[in-house]
Amino acid sequence: MPAVMRGTSAGKKTRGGRGKAPAYAPAKLRGASGVGLKPQVALAGACSVFAAGLVLMLATGGRAQALVSAIGHGLDNRMGAIGFRVARIEIKGASAYSDPYIRQALGVAGATPILGLDLVALRDRAESVGWVSGASVSRLLPDTLLVTVDERPRLAVWQSGGVTSVVDPEGHVIPEADPGRFPDLPLVVGQGAAEAAAAILPLVQTRPALTKRLEALVRVDGRRWDIRLKDGGLIQLPATGEDAALIQLDQLDQRSRLLELGFARIDLRDPQMIAVRPRTSAEDAGA
């Protein structure tokens, strides 16, 4: 979820002979003589110094490691002085819900030298956010950090033990997601409901008449589902063959308009014997 180099565009000459200022004008790097250096020259010189330090470390073993580290730190600061600092962080693939959590996890302050950032560590920080299933981090020189994420899709609100959470299609809880902000997500209830929801929800959601009356899907004994309707009706599904059972419900509804007229319970657990219990007058009054 490739880094490109952002160049500067040459200014066009005006009638007065003066060039137009470029969109990005890094500060000049000055040497001991005080002569200003172009950024390209400064970068080439700094890289040469770093390469020399690397050769020294290889030639003398670990004794020069501290020297190379100091050179690297100096290179970061020198590059930062000519504009290689984080001015913005672009996050792709994130929704408005997850974006602030990712930025907080990254913890990158403005004006941080961009060449000194540990991209692997930043990727790990982004992936520590519950919304994120995977991430990649790259630099867009001179001043942009690009973070691309795969955001977990929201499948349902899961209620278990009096606690409600938003879960993805694999049943993983998205801890930063507030269930109250997603009233349109279906509600699944009970132990094991989060993991099993991805299999049953498409079967229900392809039936608009049933979906608009759905209150919750309740996992029973970790092996089958009850469908609770907003009017108080209950549909009991078998442990296997839920699609076939729902086809039987479709046929009953076409013949008798059960969903429209209402019922107390439909037992579809035995495909050979479907039981329908109508509402009593007291149940109708309470509906």
Side-chain angles (χ1 to χ4, degrees):
M1 310 158 296
V4 297
M5 296 292 293
R6 292 192 179 186
T8 58
S9 58
K12 297 181 179 180
K13 291 186 177 180
T14 63
R15 291 183 178 180
R18 295 181 178 268
K20 183 180 179 181
Y24 168 74
K28 290 183 178 181
L29 175 65
R30 298 191 178 272
S33 64
V35 178
L37 301 179
K38 293 183 178 180
Q40 297 90 334
V41 176
L43 180 59
C47 289
S48 298
V49 173
F50 182 77
L54 181 60
V55 171
L56 179 59
M57 183 183 70
L58 295 175
T60 62
R63 290 175 297 174
Q65 184 173 356
L67 175 60
V68 174
S69 177
I71 293 173
H73 183 68
L75 174 62
D76 293 341
N77 290 336
R78 191 65 64 86
M79 293 298 97
I82 62 171
F84 288 82
R85 293 182 178 272
V86 177
R88 62 182 169 274
I89 300 174
E90 294 184 6
I91 301 180
K92 294 186 177 180
S95 68
Y97 301 111
S98 65
D99 187 284
Y101 292 100
I102 298 170
R103 293 181 186 275
Q104 182 178 6
L106 291 172
V108 177
T112 300
I114 195 168
L115 295 179
L117 292 175
D118 185 338
L119 300 188
V120 174
L122 290 176
R123 181 201 63 196
D124 292 343
R125 291 181 198 172
E127 292 180 346
S128 71
V129 177
W131 279 105
V132 179
S133 61
S136 64
V137 182
S138 58
R139 302 179 184 90
L140 299 181
L141 298 179
D143 61 3
T144 301
L145 185 68
L146 174 63
V147 182
T148 304
V149 303
D150 295 322
E151 184 176 291
R152 297 186 189 278
R154 305 177 297 275
L155 177 69
V157 172
W158 173 45
Q159 179 180 314
S160 181
V163 178
T164 56
S165 309
V166 177
V167 295
D168 70 3
E170 295 180 354
H172 296 141
V173 172
I174 304 174
E176 302 91 352
D178 178 4
R181 301 185 68 178
F182 305 103
D184 295 333
L185 289 179
L187 175 64
V188 297
V189 180
Q191 186 175 2
E195 295 83 0
I200 187 64
L201 282 174
L203 301 180
V204 174
Q205 291 169 336
T206 55
R207 295 169 164 85
L210 180 59
T211 300
K212 71 179 183 180
R213 294 172 170 84
L214 176 67
E215 180 181 36
L217 285 160
V218 182
R219 193 71 171 161
V220 180
D221 298 328
R223 55 187 297 271
R224 68 171 196 85
W225 294 98
D226 280 350
I227 301 176
R228 289 183 183 175
L229 304 184
K230 295 175 182 177
D231 64 1
L234 183 68
I235 302 170
Q236 296 175 292
L237 296 179
T240 59
E242 295 97 332
D243 196 14
L246 289 172
I247 290 174
Q248 290 181 312
L249 177 65
D250 293 338
Q251 295 170 346
L252 283 171
D253 187 48
Q254 290 172 4
R255 292 197 301 264
S256 307
R257 296 187 302 153
L258 282 175
L259 294 177
E260 180 181 342
L261 297 175
F263 52 85
R265 183 188 304 260
I266 299 179
D267 189 344
L268 299 171
R269 291 175 292 177
D270 184 350
Q272 305 301 322
M273 186 177 66
I274 299 174
V276 179
R277 194 182 90 184
R279 285 181 176 172
T280 63
S281 56
E283 288 171 330
D284 285 335

